[in-house]
């Protein structure tokens, strides 16, 4: 149980880190002409845990509506996503910490 919890926490940390990297890239390129933002989508792994897929978002409709924007990056959305990804990373790190404490206690009992 504790080892699977450890794996779940680690997979969550990796997924949220990847999503946060993608969001940071979107913000950094918000003023880049013809930049297409990346979108992070999370999927559950078959053995528990989570993974993230990063894909380019098509912003053709948004670009048609507002020609003055350099890219399709919505900074308000990116800031909100970054806060969610940060919280998810912190929660996953807490799962890893708790699983580590449980494993440590089990090993101490065995001695």
């Amino acid at each position: 149980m504790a080892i699977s919890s450890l794996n779940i926490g680690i997979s969550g940390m990796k997924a949220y880190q990847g999503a946060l990297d993608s969001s940071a890239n979107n913000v950094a390129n918000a003023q880049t002409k013809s930049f297409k933002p990346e979108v992070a989508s999370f999927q559950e792994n078959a053995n528990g845990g989570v993974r993230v897929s990063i894909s380019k978002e098509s912003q053709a409709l948004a670009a048609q509506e507002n020609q003055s924007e350099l890219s399709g990056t919505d900074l308000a959305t990116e800031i909100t996503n970054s806060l969610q990804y940060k919280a998810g990373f912190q929660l996953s790190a807490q799962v890893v910490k708790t699983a580590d404490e449980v494993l440590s206690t089990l090993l101490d009992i065995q001695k």
Side-chain angles (χ1 to χ4, degrees):
M1 179 185 119
I3 292 178
S4 65
S5 297
L6 190 62
N7 289 332
I8 289 169
I10 290 170
S11 74
M13 289 175 67
K14 287 179 181 179
Y16 284 112
Q17 181 62 53
L20 194 56
D21 290 345
S22 171
S23 184
N25 182 51
N26 291 345
V27 170
N29 288 293
Q31 299 297 316
T32 303
K33 192 170 187 143
S34 301
F35 176 75
K36 291 184 175 49
E38 298 174 339
V39 177
S41 60
F42 294 89
Q43 296 91 29
E44 182 179 352
N45 284 335
N47 59 348
V50 66
R51 68 178 185 272
V52 67
S53 297
I54 308 294
S55 62
K56 293 287 185 179
E57 182 178 27
S58 174
Q59 291 287 335
L61 183 58
Q64 290 172 357
E65 291 175 0
N66 190 359
Q67 294 293 329
S68 65
E69 293 205 24
L70 294 175
S71 74
T73 302
D74 179 11
L75 293 177
T77 299
E78 293 303 328
I79 290 170
T80 303
N81 287 345
S82 293
L83 292 173
Q84 290 175 341
Y85 301 153
K86 178 185 171 187
F89 184 90
Q90 290 172 332
L91 290 171
S92 295
Q94 187 62 43
V95 169
V96 170
K97 181 180 175 185
T98 302
D100 180 55
E101 290 171 357
V102 168
L103 283 171
S104 180
T105 301
L106 289 173
L107 291 174
D108 286 344
I109 291 172
Q110 294 294 326
K111 288 182 181 181

